[in-house]
């Protein structure tokens, strides 16, 4: 078993055909990637128990913990695995203090918050730099979703409304190469924006809802420094201003106040377009992440999650839960788990909202990592955040 988890044995050599049909190789790889990010490499098997030699349980030891596994093996001549289920994990001697130390050792700056949510109250369980502003990348899309859900709750719009895909962007997994103005529903745009962080869906929604209304929603949700995100940039506007093609505008934008920045974006709307984004300039490393980004503290993200949950919108909550960011094993102790992440060169952010199965209590787990001097290893943040989530689940 350690060999298949560590990728040292072929998937179809280890698993029987009907297991492969039920759990495709890509899905299995995603599962083990999440496990090894959190617990390290698989080392060996312990405490095997079986009544017939073909079905039973075992403990799989990882570098940082132990998993309980239920296993079924086919009868001769094909003795490949027919059933496999990870039923629980225990991190060896883990603690919030230990994770805090590992966060502090990362290059650059980091901050995180684990908090129990009681109504609109945040009860901190563990935190480091929770009130510091960080570049958070696509985490800004929480504010777009929040405004969309609010406008639907007030009957201004409906999830089934059909609108044109009006503003394409790059890094758009769902809408890449789609024809401009393709008709899509608002719910489809929200699902794309949250599940695969589609930038074309996000920019279409920002233009549709209006940046000023999203800014107002961000302020009402309790962002501690909203000016950092005013004007509320689309992804194309941010990428354009960061790129080499707009070095003439970038300095004025960075030094300007909110009104001056808004005027610069409005006056140059016909220039700040996808066709003028210089993608080549993003190949070398982080670009202006301290001054030209979307910003939030871990506490700000928690307040945004609280405001979104208060909408009581099944569709918004479902959009957040399509991709939980940590995989099925880490999500098992949670009745609900919603997620939004953000990333670009030098920027990583992960934020989760969960309802604990054990007692129905709600928690936010959010973390950010910035380094203006180097790109970041995403697996390191994934591992730390999944450990925070596991500690919050206890």
């Amino acid at each position: 078993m350690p060999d298949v988890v560590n990728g040292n044995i072929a998937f179809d050599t280890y698993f029987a055909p009907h297991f492969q049909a039920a759990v495709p190789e890509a899905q299995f790889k995603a599962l083990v990637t999440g496990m090894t990010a959190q617990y390290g490499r698989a080392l060996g098997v312990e405490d095997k128990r079986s009544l017939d030699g073909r079905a039973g349980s075992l403990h799989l030891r990882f570098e940082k913990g132990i998993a309980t596994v239920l296993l079924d093996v086919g009868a001769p001549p094909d003795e490949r695995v027919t059933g496999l289920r990870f039923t629980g994990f225990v991190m060896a001697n883990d603690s919030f203090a230990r994770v805090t130390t590992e966060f502090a050792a990362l290059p650059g700056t980091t901050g995180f918050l684990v908090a129990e949510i009681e109504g609109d109250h945040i009860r901190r369980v563990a935190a480091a730099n929770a009130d510091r502003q960080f570049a958070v990348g696509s985490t800004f899309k929480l504010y777009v979703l929040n405004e969309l859900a609010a406008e639907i709750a007030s009957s201004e719009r409906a999830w089934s409304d059909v609108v044109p895909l009006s503003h394409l962007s790059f890094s758009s997994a769902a809408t890449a190469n789609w024809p401009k103005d393709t008709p899509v529903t608002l719910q489809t745009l929200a699902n794309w924006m949250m599940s695969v962080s589609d930038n074309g869906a996000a920019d279409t929604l920002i233009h549709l809802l209006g940046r000023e209304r999203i800014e107002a929603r961000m302020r009402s949700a309790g962002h501690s420094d909203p000016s950092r995100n005013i004007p509320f940039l689309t992804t194309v506007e941010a990428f354009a201003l960061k790129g080499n093609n707009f070095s003439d505008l970038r300095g004025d934008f960075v030094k300007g106040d909110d009104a001056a920045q808004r005027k610069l974006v409005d006056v140059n709307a016909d220039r700040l377009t996808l066709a003028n984004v210089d993608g080549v300039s993003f190949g070398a490393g982080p670009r202006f992440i301290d001054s030209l980004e979307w910003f939030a503290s871990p506490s700000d993200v928690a307040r945004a999650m609280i405001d979104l949950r208060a909408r009581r919108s099944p569709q918004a909550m479902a959009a957040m839960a399509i991709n939980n960011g940590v995989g099925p094993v880490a999500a098992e102790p949670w009745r609900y788990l919603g997620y939004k992440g953000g990333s670009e060169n030098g920027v990583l952010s992960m934020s989760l909202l969960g309802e604990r199965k054990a007692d129905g209590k709600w928690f936010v787990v959010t973390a950010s990592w910035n380094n203006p001097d180097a790109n970041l290893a995403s697996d390191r943040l994934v591992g730390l955040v999944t450990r925070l989530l596991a500690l919050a689940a206890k």
Side-chain angles (χ1 to χ4, degrees), residues 322-346:
I322 295 170
N323 170 16
N324 67 31
V326 293
V329 174
E332 196 281 330
W334 301 90
R335 184 176 295 120
Y336 170 85
L337 197 62
Y339 170 77
K340 189 69 200 82
S343 66
E344 66 169 87
N345 293 341

mmCIF file with all atom_site columns, all heavy atoms in Angstrom, residues 322-346:
data_model
loop_
_atom_site.group_PDB
_atom_site.id
_atom_site.type_symbol
_atom_site.label_atom_id
_atom_site.label_alt_id
_atom_site.label_comp_id
_atom_site.label_asym_id
_atom_site.label_entity_id
_atom_site.label_seq_id
_atom_site.pdbx_PDB_ins_code
_atom_site.Cartn_x
_atom_site.Cartn_y
_atom_site.Cartn_z
_atom_site.occupancy
_atom_site.B_iso_or_equiv
_atom_site.pdbx_formal_charge
_atom_site.auth_seq_id
_atom_site.auth_comp_id
_atom_site.auth_asym_id
_atom_site.auth_atom_id
_atom_site.pdbx_PDB_model_num
ATOM 1   N N   . ILE A 1 322 ? -18.415 23.311 -4.023  1.00 0.00 ? 322 ILE A N   1
ATOM 2   C CA  . ILE A 1 322 ? -18.104 22.452 -5.177  1.00 0.00 ? 322 ILE A CA  1
ATOM 3   C C   . ILE A 1 322 ? -16.674 21.950 -5.096  1.00 0.00 ? 322 ILE A C   1
ATOM 4   O O   . ILE A 1 322 ? -16.394 20.767 -5.300  1.00 0.00 ? 322 ILE A O   1
ATOM 5   C CB  . ILE A 1 322 ? -18.333 23.217 -6.497  1.00 0.00 ? 322 ILE A CB  1
ATOM 6   C CG1 . ILE A 1 322 ? -19.817 23.563 -6.658  1.00 0.00 ? 322 ILE A CG1 1
ATOM 7   C CG2 . ILE A 1 322 ? -17.857 22.383 -7.693  1.00 0.00 ? 322 ILE A CG2 1
ATOM 8   C CD1 . ILE A 1 322 ? -20.096 24.507 -7.807  1.00 0.00 ? 322 ILE A CD1 1
ATOM 9   N N   . ASN A 1 323 ? -15.760 22.840 -4.792  1.00 0.00 ? 323 ASN A N   1
ATOM 10  C CA  . ASN A 1 323 ? -14.345 22.494 -4.624  1.00 0.00 ? 323 ASN A CA  1
ATOM 11  C C   . ASN A 1 323 ? -13.961 22.895 -3.210  1.00 0.00 ? 323 ASN A C   1
ATOM 12  O O   . ASN A 1 323 ? -13.812 24.076 -2.918  1.00 0.00 ? 323 ASN A O   1
ATOM 13  C CB  . ASN A 1 323 ? -13.489 23.234 -5.656  1.00 0.00 ? 323 ASN A CB  1
ATOM 14  C CG  . ASN A 1 323 ? -12.000 23.112 -5.376  1.00 0.00 ? 323 ASN A CG  1
ATOM 15  O OD1 . ASN A 1 323 ? -11.566 22.256 -4.610  1.00 0.00 ? 323 ASN A OD1 1
ATOM 16  N ND2 . ASN A 1 323 ? -11.208 23.984 -5.992  1.00 0.00 ? 323 ASN A ND2 1
ATOM 17  N N   . ASN A 1 324 ? -13.787 21.909 -2.320  1.00 0.00 ? 324 ASN A N   1
ATOM 18  C CA  . ASN A 1 324 ? -13.509 22.257 -0.922  1.00 0.00 ? 324 ASN A CA  1
ATOM 19  C C   . ASN A 1 324 ? -12.035 22.548 -0.650  1.00 0.00 ? 324 ASN A C   1
ATOM 20  O O   . ASN A 1 324 ? -11.663 22.876 0.478   1.00 0.00 ? 324 ASN A O   1
ATOM 21  C CB  . ASN A 1 324 ? -14.029 21.181 0.037   1.00 0.00 ? 324 ASN A CB  1
ATOM 22  C CG  . ASN A 1 324 ? -13.287 19.854 -0.082  1.00 0.00 ? 324 ASN A CG  1
ATOM 23  O OD1 . ASN A 1 324 ? -12.110 19.795 -0.395  1.00 0.00 ? 324 ASN A OD1 1
ATOM 24  N ND2 . ASN A 1 324 ? -13.997 18.767 0.169   1.00 0.00 ? 324 ASN A ND2 1
ATOM 25  N N   . GLY A 1 325 ? -11.180 22.420 -1.661  1.00 0.00 ? 325 GLY A N   1
ATOM 26  C CA  . GLY A 1 325 ? -9.791  22.843 -1.529  1.00 0.00 ? 325 GLY A CA  1
ATOM 27  C C   . GLY A 1 325 ? -8.857  21.886 -0.833  1.00 0.00 ? 325 GLY A C   1
ATOM 28  O O   . GLY A 1 325 ? -7.633  22.018 -0.972  1.00 0.00 ? 325 GLY A O   1
ATOM 29  N N   . VAL A 1 326 ? -9.399  20.929 -0.072  1.00 0.00 ? 326 VAL A N   1
ATOM 30  C CA  . VAL A 1 326 ? -8.531  20.051 0.735   1.00 0.00 ? 326 VAL A CA  1
ATOM 31  C C   . VAL A 1 326 ? -8.779  18.576 0.482   1.00 0.00 ? 326 VAL A C   1
ATOM 32  O O   . VAL A 1 326 ? -8.051  17.729 1.009   1.00 0.00 ? 326 VAL A O   1
ATOM 33  C CB  . VAL A 1 326 ? -8.697  20.349 2.237   1.00 0.00 ? 326 VAL A CB  1
ATOM 34  C CG1 . VAL A 1 326 ? -8.166  21.723 2.578   1.00 0.00 ? 326 VAL A CG1 1
ATOM 35  C CG2 . VAL A 1 326 ? -10.157 20.209 2.666   1.00 0.00 ? 326 VAL A CG2 1
ATOM 36  N N   . GLY A 1 327 ? -9.791  18.217 -0.291  1.00 0.00 ? 327 GLY A N   1
ATOM 37  C CA  . GLY A 1 327 ? -10.037 16.828 -0.612  1.00 0.00 ? 327 GLY A CA  1
ATOM 38  C C   . GLY A 1 327 ? -10.948 16.122 0.383   1.00 0.00 ? 327 GLY A C   1
ATOM 39  O O   . GLY A 1 327 ? -11.233 16.625 1.470   1.00 0.00 ? 327 GLY A O   1
ATOM 40  N N   . PRO A 1 328 ? -11.390 14.903 0.019   1.00 0.00 ? 328 PRO A N   1
ATOM 41  C CA  . PRO A 1 328 ? -12.405 14.207 0.815   1.00 0.00 ? 328 PRO A CA  1
ATOM 42  C C   . PRO A 1 328 ? -11.927 13.728 2.181   1.00 0.00 ? 328 PRO A C   1
ATOM 43  O O   . PRO A 1 328 ? -12.728 13.636 3.114   1.00 0.00 ? 328 PRO A O   1
ATOM 44  C CB  . PRO A 1 328 ? -12.796 13.021 -0.078  1.00 0.00 ? 328 PRO A CB  1
ATOM 45  C CG  . PRO A 1 328 ? -11.637 12.828 -1.003  1.00 0.00 ? 328 PRO A CG  1
ATOM 46  C CD  . PRO A 1 328 ? -11.068 14.180 -1.224  1.00 0.00 ? 328 PRO A CD  1
ATOM 47  N N   . VAL A 1 329 ? -10.666 13.386 2.319   1.00 0.00 ? 329 VAL A N   1
ATOM 48  C CA  . VAL A 1 329 ? -10.196 12.881 3.606   1.00 0.00 ? 329 VAL A CA  1
ATOM 49  C C   . VAL A 1 329 ? -10.227 13.982 4.655   1.00 0.00 ? 329 VAL A C   1
ATOM 50  O O   . VAL A 1 329 ? -10.764 13.813 5.759   1.00 0.00 ? 329 VAL A O   1
ATOM 51  C CB  . VAL A 1 329 ? -8.776  12.294 3.478   1.00 0.00 ? 329 VAL A CB  1
ATOM 52  C CG1 . VAL A 1 329 ? -8.232  11.904 4.852   1.00 0.00 ? 329 VAL A CG1 1
ATOM 53  C CG2 . VAL A 1 329 ? -8.787  11.079 2.558   1.00 0.00 ? 329 VAL A CG2 1
ATOM 54  N N   . ALA A 1 330 ? -9.668  15.154 4.323   1.00 0.00 ? 330 ALA A N   1
ATOM 55  C CA  . ALA A 1 330 ? -9.667  16.267 5.270   1.00 0.00 ? 330 ALA A CA  1
ATOM 56  C C   . ALA A 1 330 ? -11.079 16.782 5.528   1.00 0.00 ? 330 ALA A C   1
ATOM 57  O O   . ALA A 1 330 ? -11.367 17.316 6.606   1.00 0.00 ? 330 ALA A O   1
ATOM 58  C CB  . ALA A 1 330 ? -8.787  17.400 4.741   1.00 0.00 ? 330 ALA A CB  1
ATOM 59  N N   . ALA A 1 331 ? -11.968 16.605 4.551   1.00 0.00 ? 331 ALA A N   1
ATOM 60  C CA  . ALA A 1 331 ? -13.335 17.121 4.690   1.00 0.00 ? 331 ALA A CA  1
ATOM 61  C C   . ALA A 1 331 ? -14.252 16.187 5.478   1.00 0.00 ? 331 ALA A C   1
ATOM 62  O O   . ALA A 1 331 ? -15.340 16.602 5.877   1.00 0.00 ? 331 ALA A O   1
ATOM 63  C CB  . ALA A 1 331 ? -13.940 17.357 3.305   1.00 0.00 ? 331 ALA A CB  1
ATOM 64  N N   . GLU A 1 332 ? -13.828 14.960 5.737   1.00 0.00 ? 332 GLU A N   1
ATOM 65  C CA  . GLU A 1 332 ? -14.721 13.954 6.330   1.00 0.00 ? 332 GLU A CA  1
ATOM 66  C C   . GLU A 1 332 ? -15.347 14.385 7.659   1.00 0.00 ? 332 GLU A C   1
ATOM 67  O O   . GLU A 1 332 ? -16.531 14.122 7.902   1.00 0.00 ? 332 GLU A O   1
ATOM 68  C CB  . GLU A 1 332 ? -13.951 12.636 6.499   1.00 0.00 ? 332 GLU A CB  1
ATOM 69  C CG  . GLU A 1 332 ? -14.835 11.427 6.738   1.00 0.00 ? 332 GLU A CG  1
ATOM 70  C CD  . GLU A 1 332 ? -15.331 11.316 8.172   1.00 0.00 ? 332 GLU A CD  1
ATOM 71  O OE1 . GLU A 1 332 ? -14.602 11.776 9.090   1.00 0.00 ? 332 GLU A OE1 1
ATOM 72  O OE2 . GLU A 1 332 ? -16.433 10.783 8.382   1.00 0.00 ? 332 GLU A OE2 1
ATOM 73  N N   . PRO A 1 333 ? -14.640 15.091 8.566   1.00 0.00 ? 333 PRO A N   1
ATOM 74  C CA  . PRO A 1 333 ? -15.284 15.474 9.835   1.00 0.00 ? 333 PRO A CA  1
ATOM 75  C C   . PRO A 1 333 ? -16.278 16.622 9.730   1.00 0.00 ? 333 PRO A C   1
ATOM 76  O O   . PRO A 1 333 ? -16.838 17.034 10.746  1.00 0.00 ? 333 PRO A O   1
ATOM 77  C CB  . PRO A 1 333 ? -14.083 15.894 10.716  1.00 0.00 ? 333 PRO A CB  1
ATOM 78  C CG  . PRO A 1 333 ? -12.864 15.385 10.040  1.00 0.00 ? 333 PRO A CG  1
ATOM 79  C CD  . PRO A 1 333 ? -13.201 15.396 8.584   1.00 0.00 ? 333 PRO A CD  1
ATOM 80  N N   . TRP A 1 334 ? -16.520 17.133 8.528   1.00 0.00 ? 334 TRP A N   1
ATOM 81  C CA  . TRP A 1 334 ? -17.329 18.334 8.365   1.00 0.00 ? 334 TRP A CA  1
ATOM 82  C C   . TRP A 1 334 ? -18.609 18.030 7.601   1.00 0.00 ? 334 TRP A C   1
ATOM 83  O O   . TRP A 1 334 ? -18.586 17.438 6.531   1.00 0.00 ? 334 TRP A O   1
ATOM 84  C CB  . TRP A 1 334 ? -16.520 19.411 7.639   1.00 0.00 ? 334 TRP A CB  1
ATOM 85  C CG  . TRP A 1 334 ? -15.269 19.761 8.396   1.00 0.00 ? 334 TRP A CG  1
ATOM 86  C CD1 . TRP A 1 334 ? -14.038 19.172 8.260   1.00 0.00 ? 334 TRP A CD1 1
ATOM 87  C CD2 . TRP A 1 334 ? -15.138 20.728 9.439   1.00 0.00 ? 334 TRP A CD2 1
ATOM 88  N NE1 . TRP A 1 334 ? -13.146 19.724 9.149   1.00 0.00 ? 334 TRP A NE1 1
ATOM 89  C CE2 . TRP A 1 334 ? -13.796 20.683 9.895   1.00 0.00 ? 334 TRP A CE2 1
ATOM 90  C CE3 . TRP A 1 334 ? -16.030 21.630 10.026  1.00 0.00 ? 334 TRP A CE3 1
ATOM 91  C CZ2 . TRP A 1 334 ? -13.335 21.508 10.909  1.00 0.00 ? 334 TRP A CZ2 1
ATOM 92  C CZ3 . TRP A 1 334 ? -15.561 22.454 11.038  1.00 0.00 ? 334 TRP A CZ3 1
ATOM 93  C CH2 . TRP A 1 334 ? -14.231 22.398 11.468  1.00 0.00 ? 334 TRP A CH2 1
ATOM 94  N N   . ARG A 1 335 ? -19.746 18.485 8.155   1.00 0.00 ? 335 ARG A N   1
ATOM 95  C CA  . ARG A 1 335 ? -21.035 18.321 7.485   1.00 0.00 ? 335 ARG A CA  1
ATOM 96  C C   . ARG A 1 335 ? -21.115 19.216 6.261   1.00 0.00 ? 335 ARG A C   1
ATOM 97  O O   . ARG A 1 335 ? -21.705 18.854 5.242   1.00 0.00 ? 335 ARG A O   1
ATOM 98  C CB  . ARG A 1 335 ? -22.165 18.651 8.462   1.00 0.00 ? 335 ARG A CB  1
ATOM 99  C CG  . ARG A 1 335 ? -23.558 18.429 7.887   1.00 0.00 ? 335 ARG A CG  1
ATOM 100 C CD  . ARG A 1 335 ? -24.630 18.671 8.944   1.00 0.00 ? 335 ARG A CD  1
ATOM 101 N NE  . ARG A 1 335 ? -24.529 17.697 10.027  1.00 0.00 ? 335 ARG A NE  1
ATOM 102 C CZ  . ARG A 1 335 ? -24.311 17.999 11.303  1.00 0.00 ? 335 ARG A CZ  1
ATOM 103 N NH1 . ARG A 1 335 ? -24.176 19.268 11.683  1.00 0.00 ? 335 ARG A NH1 1
ATOM 104 N NH2 . ARG A 1 335 ? -24.244 17.056 12.226  1.00 0.00 ? 335 ARG A NH2 1
ATOM 105 N N   . TYR A 1 336 ? -20.560 20.406 6.363   1.00 0.00 ? 336 TYR A N   1
ATOM 106 C CA  . TYR A 1 336 ? -20.462 21.341 5.234   1.00 0.00 ? 336 TYR A CA  1
ATOM 107 C C   . TYR A 1 336 ? -19.052 21.897 5.226   1.00 0.00 ? 336 TYR A C   1
ATOM 108 O O   . TYR A 1 336 ? -18.474 22.178 6.287   1.00 0.00 ? 336 TYR A O   1
ATOM 109 C CB  . TYR A 1 336 ? -21.462 22.494 5.370   1.00 0.00 ? 336 TYR A CB  1
ATOM 110 C CG  . TYR A 1 336 ? -21.212 23.599 4.351   1.00 0.00 ? 336 TYR A CG  1
ATOM 111 C CD1 . TYR A 1 336 ? -21.745 23.515 3.071   1.00 0.00 ? 336 TYR A CD1 1
ATOM 112 C CD2 . TYR A 1 336 ? -20.396 24.688 4.651   1.00 0.00 ? 336 TYR A CD2 1
ATOM 113 C CE1 . TYR A 1 336 ? -21.495 24.500 2.123   1.00 0.00 ? 336 TYR A CE1 1
ATOM 114 C CE2 . TYR A 1 336 ? -20.133 25.669 3.709   1.00 0.00 ? 336 TYR A CE2 1
ATOM 115 C CZ  . TYR A 1 336 ? -20.680 25.571 2.444   1.00 0.00 ? 336 TYR A CZ  1
ATOM 116 O OH  . TYR A 1 336 ? -20.404 26.529 1.504   1.00 0.00 ? 336 TYR A OH  1
ATOM 117 N N   . LEU A 1 337 ? -18.494 22.068 4.022   1.00 0.00 ? 337 LEU A N   1
ATOM 118 C CA  . LEU A 1 337 ? -17.184 22.695 3.902   1.00 0.00 ? 337 LEU A CA  1
ATOM 119 C C   . LEU A 1 337 ? -17.142 23.499 2.613   1.00 0.00 ? 337 LEU A C   1
ATOM 120 O O   . LEU A 1 337 ? -17.189 22.952 1.511   1.00 0.00 ? 337 LEU A O   1
ATOM 121 C CB  . LEU A 1 337 ? -16.070 21.640 3.901   1.00 0.00 ? 337 LEU A CB  1
ATOM 122 C CG  . LEU A 1 337 ? -14.652 22.153 4.186   1.00 0.00 ? 337 LEU A CG  1
ATOM 123 C CD1 . LEU A 1 337 ? -14.565 22.756 5.583   1.00 0.00 ? 337 LEU A CD1 1
ATOM 124 C CD2 . LEU A 1 337 ? -13.631 21.027 4.046   1.00 0.00 ? 337 LEU A CD2 1
ATOM 125 N N   . GLY A 1 338 ? -17.114 24.830 2.762   1.00 0.00 ? 338 GLY A N   1
ATOM 126 C CA  . GLY A 1 338 ? -16.988 25.727 1.631   1.00 0.00 ? 338 GLY A CA  1
ATOM 127 C C   . GLY A 1 338 ? -15.588 26.298 1.571   1.00 0.00 ? 338 GLY A C   1
ATOM 128 O O   . GLY A 1 338 ? -14.901 26.395 2.601   1.00 0.00 ? 338 GLY A O   1
ATOM 129 N N   . TYR A 1 339 ? -15.169 26.699 0.376   1.00 0.00 ? 339 TYR A N   1
ATOM 130 C CA  . TYR A 1 339 ? -13.756 27.080 0.198   1.00 0.00 ? 339 TYR A CA  1
ATOM 131 C C   . TYR A 1 339 ? -13.614 28.142 -0.883  1.00 0.00 ? 339 TYR A C   1
ATOM 132 O O   . TYR A 1 339 ? -14.356 28.167 -1.860  1.00 0.00 ? 339 TYR A O   1
ATOM 133 C CB  . TYR A 1 339 ? -12.956 25.844 -0.211  1.00 0.00 ? 339 TYR A CB  1
ATOM 134 C CG  . TYR A 1 339 ? -11.532 26.125 -0.661  1.00 0.00 ? 339 TYR A CG  1
ATOM 135 C CD1 . TYR A 1 339 ? -10.536 26.404 0.264   1.00 0.00 ? 339 TYR A CD1 1
ATOM 136 C CD2 . TYR A 1 339 ? -11.205 26.116 -2.016  1.00 0.00 ? 339 TYR A CD2 1
ATOM 137 C CE1 . TYR A 1 339 ? -9.234  26.652 -0.148  1.00 0.00 ? 339 TYR A CE1 1
ATOM 138 C CE2 . TYR A 1 339 ? -9.909  26.367 -2.437  1.00 0.00 ? 339 TYR A CE2 1
ATOM 139 C CZ  . TYR A 1 339 ? -8.927  26.633 -1.497  1.00 0.00 ? 339 TYR A CZ  1
ATOM 140 O OH  . TYR A 1 339 ? -7.646  26.891 -1.900  1.00 0.00 ? 339 TYR A OH  1
ATOM 141 N N   . LYS A 1 340 ? -12.627 29.006 -0.690  1.00 0.00 ? 340 LYS A N   1
ATOM 142 C CA  . LYS A 1 340 ? -12.111 29.852 -1.770  1.00 0.00 ? 340 LYS A CA  1
ATOM 143 C C   . LYS A 1 340 ? -10.630 30.040 -1.551  1.00 0.00 ? 340 LYS A C   1
ATOM 144 O O   . LYS A 1 340 ? -10.186 30.367 -0.431  1.00 0.00 ? 340 LYS A O   1
ATOM 145 C CB  . LYS A 1 340 ? -12.791 31.230 -1.812  1.00 0.00 ? 340 LYS A CB  1
ATOM 146 C CG  . LYS A 1 340 ? -12.394 32.011 -3.066  1.00 0.00 ? 340 LYS A CG  1
ATOM 147 C CD  . LYS A 1 340 ? -13.002 31.364 -4.306  1.00 0.00 ? 340 LYS A CD  1
ATOM 148 C CE  . LYS A 1 340 ? -12.306 31.761 -5.601  1.00 0.00 ? 340 LYS A CE  1
ATOM 149 N NZ  . LYS A 1 340 ? -11.086 31.004 -5.875  1.00 0.00 ? 340 LYS A NZ  1
ATOM 150 N N   . GLY A 1 341 ? -9.871  29.840 -2.588  1.00 0.00 ? 341 GLY A N   1
ATOM 151 C CA  . GLY A 1 341 ? -8.431  30.057 -2.541  1.00 0.00 ? 341 GLY A CA  1
ATOM 152 C C   . GLY A 1 341 ? -8.029  31.169 -3.482  1.00 0.00 ? 341 GLY A C   1
ATOM 153 O O   . GLY A 1 341 ? -8.825  31.652 -4.296  1.00 0.00 ? 341 GLY A O   1
ATOM 154 N N   . GLY A 1 342 ? -6.783  31.572 -3.368  1.00 0.00 ? 342 GLY A N   1
ATOM 155 C CA  . GLY A 1 342 ? -6.234  32.590 -4.254  1.00 0.00 ? 342 GLY A CA  1
ATOM 156 C C   . GLY A 1 342 ? -4.757  32.356 -4.449  1.00 0.00 ? 342 GLY A C   1
ATOM 157 O O   . GLY A 1 342 ? -4.061  31.943 -3.510  1.00 0.00 ? 342 GLY A O   1
ATOM 158 N N   . SER A 1 343 ? -4.277  32.601 -5.658  1.00 0.00 ? 343 SER A N   1
ATOM 159 C CA  . SER A 1 343 ? -2.847  32.407 -5.903  1.00 0.00 ? 343 SER A CA  1
ATOM 160 C C   . SER A 1 343 ? -2.393  33.221 -7.103  1.00 0.00 ? 343 SER A C   1
ATOM 161 O O   . SER A 1 343 ? -3.145  33.446 -8.047  1.00 0.00 ? 343 SER A O   1
ATOM 162 C CB  . SER A 1 343 ? -2.540  30.925 -6.149  1.00 0.00 ? 343 SER A CB  1
ATOM 163 O OG  . SER A 1 343 ? -3.141  30.481 -7.349  1.00 0.00 ? 343 SER A OG  1
ATOM 164 N N   . GLU A 1 344 ? -1.200  33.685 -7.019  1.00 0.00 ? 344 GLU A N   1
ATOM 165 C CA  . GLU A 1 344 ? -0.425  34.183 -8.149  1.00 0.00 ? 344 GLU A CA  1
ATOM 166 C C   . GLU A 1 344 ? 1.022   34.155 -7.698  1.00 0.00 ? 344 GLU A C   1
ATOM 167 O O   . GLU A 1 344 ? 1.321   33.728 -6.575  1.00 0.00 ? 344 GLU A O   1
ATOM 168 C CB  . GLU A 1 344 ? -0.865  35.586 -8.579  1.00 0.00 ? 344 GLU A CB  1
ATOM 169 C CG  . GLU A 1 344 ? -0.605  36.685 -7.579  1.00 0.00 ? 344 GLU A CG  1
ATOM 170 C CD  . GLU A 1 344 ? -0.837  38.068 -8.201  1.00 0.00 ? 344 GLU A CD  1
ATOM 171 O OE1 . GLU A 1 344 ? -1.975  38.549 -8.188  1.00 0.00 ? 344 GLU A OE1 1
ATOM 172 O OE2 . GLU A 1 344 ? 0.140   38.645 -8.683  1.00 0.00 ? 344 GLU A OE2 1
ATOM 173 N N   . ASN A 1 345 ? 1.923   34.586 -8.520  1.00 0.00 ? 345 ASN A N   1
ATOM 174 C CA  . ASN A 1 345 ? 3.325   34.554 -8.129  1.00 0.00 ? 345 ASN A CA  1
ATOM 175 C C   . ASN A 1 345 ? 3.529   35.325 -6.830  1.00 0.00 ? 345 ASN A C   1
ATOM 176 O O   . ASN A 1 345 ? 3.199   36.503 -6.732  1.00 0.00 ? 345 ASN A O   1
ATOM 177 C CB  . ASN A 1 345 ? 4.204   35.160 -9.220  1.00 0.00 ? 345 ASN A CB  1
ATOM 178 C CG  . ASN A 1 345 ? 4.227   34.334 -10.497 1.00 0.00 ? 345 ASN A CG  1
ATOM 179 O OD1 . ASN A 1 345 ? 3.890   33.161 -10.467 1.00 0.00 ? 345 ASN A OD1 1
ATOM 180 N ND2 . ASN A 1 345 ? 4.624   34.953 -11.599 1.00 0.00 ? 345 ASN A ND2 1
ATOM 181 N N   . GLY A 1 346 ? 4.048   34.641 -5.810  1.00 0.00 ? 346 GLY A N   1
ATOM 182 C CA  . GLY A 1 346 ? 4.318   35.285 -4.531  1.00 0.00 ? 346 GLY A CA  1
ATOM 183 C C   . GLY A 1 346 ? 3.123   35.398 -3.611  1.00 0.00 ? 346 GLY A C   1
ATOM 184 O O   . GLY A 1 346 ? 3.256   35.944 -2.509  1.00 0.00 ? 346 GLY A O   1
#
